[in-house]
């Protein structure tokens, strides 16, 4: 089983290491095809990629922040991430049709 930390931001990578995730493989882009059942993916992914991680049997933990509007669009340091209550929250994501069923492409 592998653990991936997905981020292109140096501050996020530093934050993850400071939180004990230094053993995670740091990548700037995730190809969901590499995810195997039992793998863990940490970071911030577009929802359709997070759904693919879950479909493949992986666990997805989103890097969540309480980010002030004034800080949006700029690089944050590990210390600033701590100030924004950075945390990893597990999500189970799947695509559904409007009626709640699995999308037609997956049937």
């Amino acid at each position: 089983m592998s653990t991936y930390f997905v981020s292109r931001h140096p501050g996020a990578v530093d934050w993850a290491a400071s939180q004990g995730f230094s053993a995670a493989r740091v990548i700037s882009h995730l190809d969901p095809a590499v995810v195997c059942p039992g793998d863990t993916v940490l970071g911030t992914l577009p929802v359709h990629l997070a759904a693919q991680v879950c479909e493949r049997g992986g666990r997805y933990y989103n890097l969540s922040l309480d980010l002030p509007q004034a800080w949006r669009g700029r690089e944050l340091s590990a210390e600033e991430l701590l100030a924004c209550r950075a945390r990893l929250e597990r999500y189970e994501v799947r695509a559904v049709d409007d009626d709640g069923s699995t999308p037609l492409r997956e049937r």
Side-chain angles (χ1 to χ4, degrees):
M1 291 185 277
S2 298
T3 300
Y4 302 95
F5 186 80
V6 184
S7 183
R8 59 182 177 80
H9 301 287
V13 173
D14 292 344
W15 173 86
S18 76
Q19 299 301 303
F21 296 103
S22 57
R25 181 172 168 212
V26 177
I27 56 177
S28 61
H29 174 77
L30 177 73
D31 176 357
V34 305
V35 175
C36 296
D39 285 354
T40 301
V41 177
L42 315 168
T44 305
L45 296 178
V47 70
H48 70 287
L49 294 182
Q52 289 177 42
V53 167
C54 295
E55 287 170 9
R56 297 184 60 82
R59 292 180 308 267
Y60 173 61
Y61 289 81
N62 188 70
L63 175 56
S64 300
L65 307 171
D66 298 332
L67 188 65
Q69 185 174 1
W71 286 16
R72 290 185 182 174
R74 69 177 183 89
E75 289 293 324
L76 301 176
S77 68
E79 294 77 20
E80 289 170 322
L81 288 168
L82 285 171
C84 293
R85 288 187 353 101
R87 61 207 175 271
L88 292 168
E89 299 177 313
R90 185 170 178 191
Y91 286 86
E92 293 182 12
V93 184
R94 68 182 179 92
V96 296
D97 281 335
D98 286 339
D99 65 3
S101 65
T102 302
L104 291 175
R105 66 173 173 75
E106 295 180 4
R107 291 185 190 155

